[in-house]
Amino acid sequence: MNEAGAAPPAPGLLRSSAVVGAMTMLSRVLGLVRDIVLAAFIGATANADAFFVAFKIPNFLRRLFAEGAFSQAFVPVLSEYRERGGQAAVRELLDRVAGVLGGTLLLLTSLTVLAAPLVAGLFAPGFLDQPAKFALTADLIRVTFPYLLLISLTGLCGAVLNSYGRFAVPAVTPVFLNLSLIAAATVAAPWFEEPAFALAWGVFTAGVVQLLFQLPFLRRLELTPRPRWDTAHPGVRQILRLMVPALFGVSVSQVNLLLDTVLASFLPTGSVSWLYYSDRLAELPLGVFGIAIATVILPSLSADRAAAREERFTLTLDWAVRSVLLVAVPATAALLVLAEPILITLFQYGELSPRDVSMAGYSLRAYALGICAFMLIKVLAPGFYARQDMVTPVRIGIRAMLANMVLNFAFVVPLMLYLDLGHVGLALATSVAAYLNAGLLWRGLRREGVYRFDPAWRVFLPRLFGATAVMVGLVLWLSPAASAWLAWGWQRRALELAGLVGAGGGAYLAVLAAAGVRLRDLRSPPP
């Protein structure tokens, strides 16, 4: 403590974010390899649509239970128990939370496996008039849905490890999902009459491996969960109280994505797959950096709040916003300019046709427009969660979700009728609704006096947009004609794309450096 009674600045947030980002980058690169394999293996066929729907359902719920509402309710409570109760209290809390979470999800998984056709009808009603496609979707759901139980328990372990500063282990864990699916497509598929089942079993296997991978690291902390059902435990009740509204708040973006899937099931065959491939690319900067920053600031913000370090709380939040924009703004510009070259280089092999790439390119640009908003939501929402305010993000999220539903129909109908691009309307509506969500979160934090702009913003924004403009100009000047990308083999495509990305990224960083932006200024919030 210094003379004024303030805690010293939280060190190493950028370093911790870099660790998470590096591990996540490894996972995302393997994820791209996985998607390249899937594009060549199943393309954008009817069976591909069935698998992607079956895969999205447990993934949707995973983001609620494993890394969404549960994590945001659990981490602040865990921080309190560490501050006030010590290791014994943490172990007791963890055992009860593991028992309640695991028991609840085991029941949900069992019911879903038994009622798979109903679930398929709920999430893909457009498949009902295609009996073979609908039946395949239901059968795939029976195999993929248990992944929810396994990955949610993995998420519990990861939340504990993050709270104790072991960020690398949870960040590298998703690698096993990508490796499992790559192996399923390239090795196991010939053993199945319907290759999509190989992918489904690959998802299930990944869940088992991911959970087993994290348990030894919890054992080193002497925090291996011993599940016990006890909903009367004060910590469990507090988490449940915080989690119920958080479920609604965090689920908004996921509900929007699932609504996209539902509506896409009524659009031409391939729409679900086009959205999948474009969404995966748009999520790359979000996953590598946005989620990395959000992951490391939530424990820090929770600790600042518990220790009444309000100024440190504000500085950390402002640091996070500036940090994500340094990636989000150039990433948006790059995807707008290079959408089709990226898709051609990564995916146009095997079953994926030039038309599929063109269609995915349109939706990729629409998703790219929302990257800044997606990232801002990730770092602004913890400002509420760390203060155990779950209600405000829920209210904001519901407004954004309703807006997204209206925008879906406002964009999809005319784009489908006049341009045959209905799926682009879904992506565009998601991006616009995300800006509404982010804007309302920012306004709420400002009104409560929790977030204040640093005066450095007046200099930061011109530098950011100036560097991005130089990057875009250089990339446009160097980019070959679209016909050339189609004529080249994968080696030439990869070299050309790497050259463009390297030149653009180098120009962006060089302009920032020339304008006075220094890495040391971003390592952690200023004291």
Side-chain angles (χ1 to χ4, degrees):
M1 304 287 284
N2 59 24
E3 293 180 0
L13 284 181
L14 183 63
R15 182 172 63 250
S16 298
S17 301
V19 170
V20 176
M23 296 298 100
T24 307
M25 173 64 83
L26 173 62
S27 174
R28 294 292 171 145
V29 169
L30 283 173
L32 283 178
V33 174
R34 176 193 83 189
D35 292 335
I36 291 169
V37 171
L38 292 182
F41 182 64
I42 56 176
T45 61
N47 288 0
D49 285 353
F51 170 73
F52 290 136
V53 168
F55 187 31
K56 276 187 175 183
I57 294 171
N59 258 337
F60 159 69
L61 294 172
R62 178 204 77 186
R63 292 178 179 182
L64 301 184
F65 290 103
E67 61 196 36
F70 169 75
S71 177
Q72 290 158 1
F74 174 63
V75 170
V77 175
L78 179 62
S79 295
E80 282 189 6
Y81 272 70
R82 286 187 66 191
E83 287 278 338
R84 301 172 185 174
Q87 189 81 342
V90 169
R91 280 197 295 266
E92 182 180 341
L93 173 69
L94 184 57
D95 291 347
R96 271 71 180 175
V97 171
V100 174
L101 179 66
T104 302
L105 291 178
L106 181 60
L107 176 61
L108 177 62
T109 298
S110 301
L111 292 174
T112 301
V113 169
L114 291 173
L118 293 176
V119 177
L122 175 65
F123 289 103
F127 292 178
L128 287 169
D129 60 353
Q130 304 172 65
K133 188 175 182 178
F134 179 79
L136 176 60
T137 303
D139 288 340
L140 292 173
I141 288 172
R142 291 189 176 97
V143 181
T144 59
F145 199 86
Y147 177 72
L148 171 64
L149 170 63
L150 297 164
I151 198 60
S152 295
L153 293 176
T154 302
L156 168 63
C157 299
V160 176
L161 291 169
N162 283 334
S163 294
Y164 280 79
R166 273 64 168 182
F167 294 108
V169 175
V172 79
T173 299
V175 164
F176 296 106
L177 172 63
N178 298 323
L179 292 175
S180 181
L181 282 173
I182 292 170
T186 58
V187 178
W191 298 87
F192 289 82
E193 184 177 348
E194 171 50 63
F197 279 107
L199 301 178
W201 282 109
V203 172
F204 178 87
T205 302
V208 175
V209 173
Q210 287 172 307
L211 178 58
L212 293 178
F213 172 70
Q214 291 200 355
L215 289 177
F217 296 95
L218 280 182
R219 184 177 179 83
R220 293 180 188 176
L221 296 174
E222 298 182 357
L223 291 175
T224 305
R226 296 167 295 176
R228 298 182 184 179
W229 181 273
D230 182 4
T231 56
H233 185 274
V236 173
R237 295 175 72 88
Q238 186 179 2
I239 291 169
L240 290 174
R241 178 176 59 81
L242 295 173
M243 186 175 174
V244 170
L247 274 170
F248 292 96
V250 177
S251 67
V252 168
S253 62
Q254 302 308 313
V255 168
N256 287 338
L257 289 175
L258 273 183
L259 179 61
D260 290 353
T261 302
V262 170
L263 294 176
S265 71
F266 291 98
L267 297 175
T269 294
S271 295
V272 173
S273 301
W274 300 330
L275 287 170
Y276 172 82
Y277 293 124
S278 55
D279 178 55
R280 288 287 299 165
L281 285 174
E283 281 195 350
L284 182 61
L286 174 65
V288 171
F289 204 75
I291 293 176
I293 293 286
T295 297
V296 301
I297 66 168
L298 181 56
S300 179
L301 291 173
S302 299
D304 290 338
R305 180 64 176 176
R309 297 191 293 262
E310 298 300 332
E311 185 65 21
R312 169 57 44 191
F313 188 102
T314 298
L315 291 172
T316 298
L317 206 54
D318 187 68
W319 169 85
V321 171
R322 286 186 288 114
S323 296
V324 296
L325 287 180
L326 278 172
V327 174
V329 172
T332 297
L335 287 176
L336 289 173
V337 173
L338 295 175
E340 289 195 359
I342 292 172
L343 287 163
I344 290 170
T345 301
L346 295 177
F347 299 135
Q348 194 174 331
Y349 311 98
E351 294 294 321
L352 205 69
S353 69
R355 178 175 179 270
D356 293 328
V357 167
S358 177
M359 289 296 191
Y362 289 121
S363 53
L364 174 56
R365 291 186 178 93
Y367 277 133
L369 291 173
I371 286 177
C372 290
F374 299 144
M375 283 198 178
L376 287 173
I377 290 170
K378 288 294 182 183
V379 298
L380 291 174
F384 293 95
Y385 301 136
R387 301 166 65 242
Q388 300 190 17
D389 176 6
M390 306 297 176
V391 175
T392 302
V394 169
R395 292 173 179 165
I396 291 172
I398 290 173
R399 293 167 69 179
M401 181 175 67
L402 293 174
N404 191 89
M405 291 178 180
V406 173
L407 291 169
N408 271 332
F409 292 100
F411 292 156
V412 170
V413 173
L415 284 172
M416 188 67 222
L417 290 177
Y418 296 108
L419 298 175
D420 199 27
L421 294 174
H423 68 294
V424 178
L426 297 175
L428 188 59
T430 299
S431 294
V432 174
Y435 277 102
L436 175 63
N437 197 335
L440 292 175
L441 287 172
W442 171 79
R443 188 179 70 173
L445 291 170
R446 291 269 293 175
R447 280 181 173 178
E448 295 179 19
V450 176
Y451 179 50
R452 300 185 300 275
F453 278 126
D454 188 278
W457 277 92
R458 289 192 294 269
V459 177
F460 173 75
L461 286 178
R463 291 171 174 173
L464 173 63
F465 288 112
T468 301
V470 171
M471 179 198 76
V472 169
L474 181 63
V475 169
L476 287 174
W477 181 56
L478 295 176
S479 293
S483 57
W485 293 95
L486 295 171
W488 291 331
W490 72 266
Q491 298 96 330
R492 179 70 183 276
R493 292 175 182 175
L495 287 173
E496 292 286 343
L497 183 61
L500 285 175
V501 171
Y508 174 73
L509 294 175
V511 174
L512 284 180
V517 177
R518 298 291 182 265
L519 180 62
R520 62 176 178 270
D521 298 328
L522 298 170
R523 287 176 181 168
S524 61

